[in-house]
Amino acid sequence: MSKSPGLYLHIPFCSAICPYCDFAVTTGGEERRERFTRSLIKEIAMDHGSWETFDTVYFGGGTPTALDEEQLGRLLEAARRSFEIAEDAAVSIEANPEDVTEIRVRGWVGLGVGRLSLGVQSFDAGELGFLGRRHSPGEARRAVEYGLAEGLTVSLDLIYGLPGRGSKAWLENLAAAVALAPDHLSCYQLTIEPGTPFALRSRRGDWTEPSRDAVAGLFYSTHDFLGAAGYPAYEVSNFASAPENRCLHNRKYWERTPYLGLGPSAHSFDGCQRWWNQRSETAWRREIAAGRSAEAERETLSRDQRRLETVMLGLRTPGGVDLGSIEGVDVAAWLDRNAGVLSGMMEQGFLRLEGERLVPTLRGMARADALARSIEL
């Protein structure tokens, strides 16, 4: 895994805000999007300290493709002026299927984009309606085909655990996705976030959320189905058809590699500190216009917090945790200190110890946070 940092650019615009979404997103017409683009270029040009060469650039959102190719190109040009960006940097962009056309895909490729992450969420029209999505199953399929035809690495986001939808419906979704032969899949459980329209509807009793056992069953069937279909998991929610199709940028988050985030709500990490920008696009833009940093808050991680993150994030991956990589840990003493709890976890089928590497089973990956918190660091 590359230890070079990654650059994240947050584009907050969406044509409509989905009822389950808790991200920092907003709507806005052409004038607001152009004003945003100029502001982000200005933020890119500010002093962000010393960073090594970035080997990934990730346009996230929101819907980055709410910006046109000329605006996206200006952002990339500004980034290359202000930072050292590797010539072969992996450039990724998120998109909604309804925004994807052959012409637009060619435009993104012309900018140097190599990876397209599609917010498909479902191939079922009824589920798409429930989720407030604006595309049809047919548009989702065509978006995948357009991306693959132009040589992009194509990834699909899918959501499971919808109320009233069981294993059969979910496996049909996975089968529809695999039939298109994408390079990568990300599968996430539907979570009801406070303050969203879904949270209000849930409190009103409009539906009954799936039980914990039902959701766990969907999680395990996802890994079984995709593994058998040639998409082994490399992280608890992410599956790739080959190692080269894994998302290099997102792996930085799981492996605690530094990254710089710019744009409203964007987070950054340098190995010891995390900081994040103003969440509101308006508040963020106001700070940038005044020539000030849009940073909202910062935290310095203690050694114990850094150790906990190393274990917790490592246990979310099949490769597990190299105990020698835990900061300041004497492996032999650490194993002796945790002998009892580790023995219990291994007896329950959550973990195994391979030399100095703590390797989770699938059941362990599903409980990564809880397992990590049970270990004395």
Side-chain angles (χ1 to χ4, degrees), residues 73-87:
R74 284 158 55 199
L75 292 173
L76 278 171
E77 182 182 353
R80 292 188 173 110
R81 282 197 307 267
S82 294
F83 305 114
E84 289 292 333
I85 296 179
E87 287 188 15

Side-chain angles (χ1 to χ4, degrees), residues 139-162:
E139 286 175 314
R141 293 186 178 92
R142 285 191 293 275
V144 177
E145 291 164 358
Y146 292 152
L148 292 174
E150 293 299 323
L152 289 172
T153 299
V154 176
S155 177
L156 312 185
D157 285 0
L158 297 172
I159 295 178
Y160 64 88
L162 279 61

Side-chain angles (χ1 to χ4, degrees), residues 160 167 170 211-224:
Y160 64 88
S167 178
W170 173 238
S211 68
R212 181 177 296 182
D213 286 346
V215 171
L218 294 173
F219 171 84
Y220 294 124
S221 63
T222 300
H223 282 256
D224 290 343

Side-chain angles (χ1 to χ4, degrees), residues 234-235 238 247 250-256 313-314 317:
Y234 67 101
E235 195 267 347
N238 289 273
C247 186
N250 286 345
R251 287 182 65 188
K252 295 181 187 301
Y253 304 142
W254 310 323
E255 300 184 13
R256 302 189 75 254
L313 293 170
T317 68

Side-chain angles (χ1 to χ4, degrees), residues 173-184:
N173 257 320
L174 290 178
V178 167
L180 295 168
D183 302 292
H184 186 280

Side-chain angles (χ1 to χ4, degrees), residues 46-342:
M46 290 179 171
D47 182 5
H48 299 286
S50 178
W51 289 83
E52 296 181 12
T53 300
F54 294 106
D55 67 353
T56 64
V57 179
Y58 194 99
F59 287 98
T63 311
T65 53
L67 301 186
D68 62 33
E69 284 67 64
E70 188 271 341
Q71 290 166 325
L72 292 168
R74 284 158 55 199
L75 292 173
L76 278 171
E77 182 182 353
R80 292 188 173 110
R81 282 197 307 267
S82 294
F83 305 114
E84 289 292 333
I85 296 179
E87 287 188 15
D88 61 348
V91 181
S92 305
I93 193 165
E94 296 177 348
N96 288 330
E98 66 268 27
D99 296 331
V100 180
T101 66
E102 290 179 278
I103 292 174
R104 294 208 73 189
V105 170
R106 289 178 190 140
W108 301 330
V109 171
L111 294 174
V113 171
R115 186 183 191 89
L116 176 63
S117 179
L118 293 168
V120 171
Q121 316 310 359
S122 175
F123 287 96
D124 180 272
E127 291 183 356
L128 289 172
F130 171 79
L131 292 168
R133 306 298 292 179
R134 297 168 66 87
H135 64 271
S136 68
E139 286 175 314
R141 293 186 178 92
R142 285 191 293 275
V144 177
E145 291 164 358
Y146 292 152
L148 292 174
E150 293 299 323
L152 289 172
T153 299
V154 176
S155 177
L156 312 185
D157 285 0
L158 297 172
I159 295 178
Y160 64 88
L162 279 61
R165 305 293 286 177
S167 178
K168 181 176 182 295
W170 173 238
L171 291 177
E172 287 173 352
N173 257 320
L174 290 178
V178 167
L180 295 168
D183 302 292
H184 186 280
L185 291 152
S186 297
C187 300
Y188 303 108
Q189 176 191 345
L190 176 66
T191 53
I192 308 301
E193 300 290 351
T196 62
F198 267 13
L200 174 62
R201 293 167 63 182
S202 180
R203 286 198 304 272
R204 283 199 315 239
D206 290 358
W207 64 67
T208 300
E209 294 180 41
S211 68
R212 181 177 296 182
D213 286 346
V215 171
L218 294 173
F219 171 84
Y220 294 124
S221 63
T222 300
H223 282 256
D224 290 343
F225 183 96
L226 291 179
Y231 294 85
Y234 67 101
E235 195 267 347
V236 71
S237 300
N238 289 273
F239 310 79
S241 61
E244 61 269 22
N245 293 329
R246 298 170 181 172
C247 186
L248 181 62
H249 183 85
N250 286 345
R251 287 182 65 188
K252 295 181 187 301
Y253 304 142
W254 310 323
E255 300 184 13
R256 302 189 75 254
T257 301
Y259 51 87
L260 175 65
L262 303 176
S265 82
H267 284 55
S268 302
F269 175 62
D270 66 3
C272 292
Q273 291 189 323
R274 279 198 174 82
W275 61 98
W276 49 95
N277 277 350
Q278 296 283 348
R279 180 179 174 89
S280 159
E281 189 265 343
T282 302
W284 165 84
R285 184 160 36 82
R286 183 170 55 245
E287 295 301 308
I288 299 303
R292 297 189 294 263
S293 166
E295 182 180 318
E297 200 169 345
R298 177 180 293 253
E299 65 174 348
T300 299
L301 302 177
S302 67
R303 188 182 68 168
D304 285 349
Q305 287 175 314
R306 297 194 297 270
R307 286 177 170 181
L308 177 63
E309 281 190 0
T310 299
V311 176
M312 189 179 294
L313 293 170
L315 291 180
R316 290 176 61 90
T317 68
V321 185
D322 176 2
L323 299 177
S325 71
I326 303 175
E327 183 180 345
V329 164
D330 178 291
V331 175
W334 187 90
L335 287 172
D336 184 63
R337 188 166 65 249
N338 285 283
V341 68
L342 291 177

